[in-house]
Amino acid sequence: MQPSNREMPGMASSLNGISHTSAAAAAHVALRELQNGHGLQAPFDHAGGGVGHDDFLDQMLSNLPSAWAELGNPRPAWVPPSDAPTAGQRLFSAGRAGESAEEMQYDESLLLANRLRQHQISGGSSPTGEALMLQLSRSGQQQMLSGLLPLPLTLGSAGSADSPNPTGGDGLYNGFGGSLQLAESVNQQSFHHPQSAPMPGQNFGAAPPAAGAGQTPAASTLASASAGGGSGPPRQRVRARRGQATDPHSIAERLRRERIAERMKALQELVPNANKTDKASMLDEIIDYVKFLQLQVKVLSMSRLGGAAAVAPLVADMASEGQSGAGRDGANGGAAGSSDSLTVTEHQVAKMMEEDMGSAMQYLQGKGLCLMPISLASAISSATAGHLGHGLVPGVLPPPNPSGDAPSSPGVSALTAQSTMAAEATKDGVAASKSLSSK
Amino acid sequence: MESKSSTTGNRDNPNRNLHGSKTMMASHFLRALFRIQQTSTSSSSAGRSRRIRRAAYASMAYSAGTRRAWSRALLRKLRSRARLRFPRRLSRAATPQRRDMDQAQVLRKLVPGGPSMDDCKLLEETADYIRFLTTQVRLMQTVMDSISS
């Protein structure tokens, strides 16, 4: 991003350097001449044109092939649908009178062409224009640029006439500054057509295609990226959504940026004071919040020392803790005093069950326990002990006879693993309920 | 199934409520507290607070499981009995320039397992870490409230 930022003003300044200061004024002059032209507006209302255009057309056409052949481009499709000629003629002659004026208009059109590109392709996002400028600037020759840029201009206007992209044409008109909005839209169209005609001829005559190699990739990118041009050089692989450069780097970049944006949005929900739109300040907030939370853990651990003696009843209250903290999760309540080792085992089993059921089973059997479906367990529990607490999740029962039972005896005893049971645990779920049967 | 969802549920669950993890966290932490109280009644308060803090992070890491890079790194750190150190002594006089350049670095130092993550994964892990941290803090506050009342 930064290089393009640097180059963009550079390009603009170089363009300005070319133009004499009154570029805008020259454009105005040209427009006024157009407007003053008699009957100019009438023929341009329809794309049929009038008579007497042929000679001008021939001029333009003769200029073009040489120019574009040097570029290595096929004949551009913008051979205009004839709505330019008369005004173009006038402009052309007027321009010929003073070449400097032409150049001024020309550079003005360059700047306008940039804006056109932006609006035409991306609906106004400047990075597109910058990327374009980057690629064009790589060719290193301003004349090349000036020769190339009017192409999209005319492509756009041609597109507005007959391509399925009327918005391109609208973009064309919207993108221009106030200067062009002076003229009527049709005049604008005509304004650009003749401009593109003499320009290539002049400039390519002036600057032999030394950078022909540089032009071609730029031109092909232009053509491929232009929204309006139907035919043309073969497109690059994927048509980027915004018409950006289609090389894999930018696509990967875009994907990466999207992913990061997603994560940032998720983080925004978590972190309070997340109304910052700036990414940097958002990151600052996140960092501060993490530091704050870690500090809270530290402070809370220090202040817990006074009431340490009262923790024991808390362990018994574990169920209520869990429920208040998490909602009903089927936490096992009950006699925690004797069940310290039990709950440890429970959680170990829970952990092991995540990884590997087989090892969990072995572990249980090693302790003289086994797993069984809840339905079976509840049936057994209700049959033997008789005080089964919650429906699905039998509580921890006081062990009447903790002596080891044969592991193979069915339904002997199993283990409550509280974390294996969800609130939605169905009776079919494999779970364990602790019940010791004295049978 | 629930045990799985307690760890992967954070990914699947759009609410990100840590349903299953909360009970695990609570029970683990409480038992650890109990153990600490039983075993070290006469030791220094600094040692005890350190142990309690360690127990807090341990219960966080256990309830998060091994699905997350940060919990794996935290478990590793805990198992190796290394001292739990967190770089919170950074000078608050952060120049604006330092902001942009070091933000990712600072975050990497805060989140366990940070240095070995790329930016995208770092943000994801930070979000999960924050979720668990807030749950743990809330848990500790609840415990303290119920102790003192």
Side-chain angles (χ1 to χ4, degrees):
Chain A
M1 247 175 288
Q2 288 180 1
S4 66
N5 284 337
R6 274 200 299 274
E7 284 190 60
M8 186 61 176
M11 278 314 308
S13 61
S14 62
L15 289 173
N16 291 335
I18 292 176
S19 71
H20 315 287
T21 47
S22 55
H28 285 282
V29 165
L31 285 169
R32 231 174 294 127
E33 283 185 330
L34 270 181
Q35 287 170 350
N36 292 339
H38 61 82
L40 277 181
Q41 317 194 352
F44 301 143
D45 286 339
H46 43 269
V51 293
H53 313 312
D54 299 333
D55 49 349
F56 184 68
L57 267 177
D58 290 340
Q59 257 180 347
M60 286 167 44
L61 291 179
S62 61
N63 278 342
L64 282 177
S66 56
W68 290 116
E70 289 166 352
L71 281 185
N73 269 346
R75 274 274 291 279
W78 67 268
V79 175
S82 73
D83 49 357
T86 331
Q89 218 172 14
R90 291 193 56 90
L91 187 58
F92 192 66
S93 53
R96 273 279 160 83
E99 276 196 353
S100 61
E102 212 169 10
E103 281 172 4
M104 281 189 275
Q105 299 158 10
Y106 185 59
D107 298 316
E108 175 74 13
S109 76
L110 261 180
L111 299 169
L112 296 171
N114 294 342
R115 243 176 288 158
L116 159 68
R117 292 287 298 160
Q118 298 172 14
H119 285 271
Q120 193 180 17
I121 288 172
S122 64
S125 72
S126 47
T128 317
E130 287 176 346
L132 178 59
M133 291 300 293
L134 243 191
Q135 289 171 349
L136 294 177
S137 64
R138 280 199 206 105
S139 66
Q141 301 236 355
Q142 289 148 4
Q143 292 92 346
M144 297 311 142
L145 288 172
S146 49
L148 288 173
L149 279 177
L151 169 61
L153 258 184
T154 52
L155 275 177
S157 45
S160 68
D162 51 55
S163 86
N165 189 7
T167 60
D170 294 336
L172 174 87
Y173 305 141
N174 296 334
F176 297 144
S179 62
L180 274 189
Q181 284 171 359
L182 296 176
E184 295 178 359
S185 59
V186 184
N187 288 338
Q188 286 176 359
Q189 255 186 352
S190 58
F191 178 67
H192 295 299
H193 279 298
Q195 278 218 332
S196 55
M199 290 316 122
Q202 282 182 10
N203 286 317
F204 293 132
Q215 292 176 42
T216 330
S220 60
T221 319
L222 260 186
S224 63
S226 76
S231 65
R235 293 241 167 83
Q236 320 274 349
R237 292 155 245 138
V238 171
R239 180 75 181 280
R241 222 179 307 151
R242 294 216 235 139
Q244 266 185 336
T246 53
D247 55 292
H249 292 298
S250 59
I251 289 185
E253 260 299 306
R254 205 147 30 95
L255 274 177
R256 177 177 161 269
R257 254 175 290 168
E258 282 172 5
R259 244 182 284 151
I260 287 189
E262 271 177 55
R263 310 279 195 264
M264 291 288 294
K265 242 191 306 172
L267 272 169
Q268 266 188 337
E269 298 169 19
L270 289 172
V271 176
N273 291 339
N275 44 10
K276 314 277 192 305
T277 49
D278 179 23
K279 184 174 164 197
S281 56
M282 195 58 219
L283 275 176
D284 275 344
E285 274 297 321
I286 293 171
I287 289 176
D288 286 342
Y289 192 54
V290 171
K291 284 196 217 167
F292 163 71
L293 287 174
Q294 289 177 342
L295 181 62
Q296 261 195 316
V297 169
K298 178 166 188 197
V299 164
L300 281 170
S301 66
M302 286 196 290
S303 64
R304 203 171 294 275
L305 305 176
V311 172
L314 272 183
V315 185
D317 286 347
M318 215 165 48
S320 54
E321 287 274 341
Q323 286 168 13
S324 65
R328 304 209 42 100
D329 243 61
N332 68 336
S338 58
S339 65
D340 235 352
S341 57
L342 180 62
T343 48
V344 171
T345 320
E346 282 178 8
H347 287 285
Q348 281 178 346
V349 171
K351 256 176 276 155
M352 287 200 308
M353 277 174 74
E354 292 175 40
E355 299 151 6
D356 175 20
M357 275 302 284
S359 60
M361 292 290 292
Q362 286 177 2
Y363 177 67
L364 278 177
Q365 287 176 355
K367 294 199 162 241
L369 308 167
C370 75
L371 287 175
M372 66 172 70
I374 292 184
S375 45
L376 187 54
S378 33
I380 293 176
S381 309
S382 52
T384 56
H387 67 91
L388 212 48
H390 324 282
L392 286 178
V393 178
V396 174
L397 304 172
N401 188 2
S403 59
D405 303 294
S408 56
S409 58
V412 167
S413 53
L415 199 65
T416 340
Q418 71 175 32
S419 47
T420 64
M421 287 186 271
E424 68 261 11
T426 64
K427 300 200 187 84
D428 304 326
V430 171
S433 72
K434 161 147 188 170
S435 64
L436 277 181
S437 75
S438 45
K439 295 201 175 81
Chain B
M1 189 93 93
E2 169 57 28
S3 61
K4 281 206 165 47
S5 71
S6 73
T7 44
T8 59
N10 303 328
R11 226 185 310 147
D12 308 329
N13 186 1
N15 296 342
R16 296 167 174 168
N17 266 341
L18 309 186
H19 283 304
S21 315
K22 283 186 191 175
T23 40
M24 254 187 96
M25 211 189 283
S27 59
H28 188 284
F29 182 62
L30 284 169
R31 278 183 287 109
L33 269 187
F34 192 53
R35 245 180 290 142
I36 290 174
Q37 177 219 319
Q38 281 182 329
T39 59
S40 62
T41 41
S42 60
S43 62
S44 66
S45 59
R48 288 189 69 167
S49 63
R50 231 198 336 265
R51 250 181 280 245
I52 292 178
R53 183 163 162 261
R54 196 190 182 84
Y57 284 108
S59 58
M60 267 175 65
Y62 272 119
S63 55
T66 47
R67 311 268 168 189
R68 284 287 172 184
W70 67 266
S71 63
R72 283 195 295 265
L74 200 48
L75 286 172
R76 235 178 286 140
K77 220 193 295 190
L78 289 166
R79 294 226 171 104
S80 72
R81 304 230 142 221
R83 311 273 301 229
L84 275 188
R85 290 221 183 275
F86 291 97
R88 280 182 303 102
R89 285 299 138 225
L90 299 172
S91 69
R92 262 337 198 123
T95 64
Q97 212 199 9
R98 197 194 122 210
R99 278 176 80 201
D100 276 347
M101 292 197 290
D102 292 22
Q103 272 172 338
Q105 274 307 106
V106 172
L107 202 49
R108 284 207 178 88
K109 271 192 255 176
L110 288 177
V111 176
S116 61
M117 291 187 228
D118 57 344
D119 286 349
C120 188
K121 186 129 175 82
L122 178 66
L123 289 180
E124 191 182 334
E125 294 286 318
T126 306
D128 205 57
Y129 187 54
I130 287 181
R131 256 174 247 138
F132 275 83
L133 262 179
T134 47
T135 312
Q136 180 68 42
V137 164
R138 242 181 284 148
L139 166 68
M140 290 168 85
Q141 278 171 341
T142 316
V143 169
M144 191 145 84
D145 290 343
S146 48
I147 284 183
S148 45
S149 64

